[in-house]
Amino acid sequence: MKIINQKDITYRNNVFNKDEKYTEVTVQEKVKVFTEQLENIHHYWIPIGQEINDEDNWLEPMTDVDQNVKSDYEHYRKKYHFLTPEAIKQQREALGLNLREAATIIGISYSMLSDIEKNKVLQSIPQEDLLHYLFNPFRLNGLVENHAGLIEERLAKYHLKIDHLMKKLTDAQANEQTGLVTAASRSDSDNEK
């Protein structure tokens, strides 16, 4: 582990209504995410007066105690080309699906999908594969059609109707088809010039 930078900071502790002084260190360290070893930059806070080189004194940043873990997830996603939480949420919303509907269709628990979108957990490879269904309305619609009975039963537990879901997916599929037709038309007219 290598300390790259250090600086003194003041943190306002609103619980005790007082300012606290820390030294923030920036370090490059090796971490394990799933089974992969990565090197990443982390930040730690050491109370002023404590030995900086003693890792027992290192605290997670008070402003976001999950900052280093989230950074590890981001680094992993980037290195291994995994979908980002923002992209997943944006695509789910573009399809008009709520969390419960999307989770039911692709077979990920509601709480897991919610935590992935909030960057509280990192999706596994099988979950990543399932999440990719959201990015292809044709495949997603096919998935629902192939497993309609199962999905209908699961949706019923949450008082959701498969007919309503199918309409959303059909609309998303039509919008994608229109987008593809529009793109192809533009491409054809560009070629004619």
Side-chain angles (χ1 to χ4, degrees), residues 105-106 128-147 169 173 176:
I105 294 169
I106 63 175
E128 173 74 3
D129 291 341
L130 293 171
L131 289 165
H132 275 275
Y133 274 99
L134 297 174
F135 291 80
N136 187 327
F138 293 97
R139 287 185 64 217
L140 190 62
N141 205 356
L143 181 66
V144 173
E145 288 173 1
N146 289 338
H147 304 289
L169 295 177
Q173 189 173 339
E176 184 170 285

Side-chain angles (χ1 to χ4, degrees), residues 16-55:
F16 297 107
N17 198 27
K18 67 175 190 173
D19 288 339
E20 297 175 346
K21 303 240 183 245
Y22 295 91
T23 299
E24 180 183 54
V25 293
T26 304
V27 299
Q28 183 172 359
E29 61 185 333
K30 292 181 180 181
V31 294
K32 190 173 187 177
V33 179
F34 291 129
T35 57
E36 288 68 42
Q37 290 284 336
L38 303 173
E39 276 198 26
N40 201 11
I41 304 297
H42 289 161
H43 300 274
Y44 296 100
W45 290 10
I46 300 109
I48 293 290
Q50 300 291 321
E51 174 57 44
I52 288 178
N53 293 317
D54 183 353
E55 292 178 30

Side-chain angles (χ1 to χ4, degrees), residues 84-97 117 134-135:
T84 65
E86 299 80 17
I88 295 164
K89 182 177 182 180
Q90 183 179 11
Q91 181 61 22
R92 176 183 58 76
E93 290 176 344
L95 292 170
L97 300 175
E117 285 191 5
L134 297 174
F135 291 80

Side-chain angles (χ1 to χ4, degrees), residues 151-165:
I151 291 172
E152 185 170 19
E153 287 179 19
R154 289 180 177 173
L155 288 171
K157 292 178 188 175
Y158 307 111
H159 309 290
L160 299 170
K161 303 281 186 201
I162 196 163
D163 295 341
H164 182 65
L165 177 67

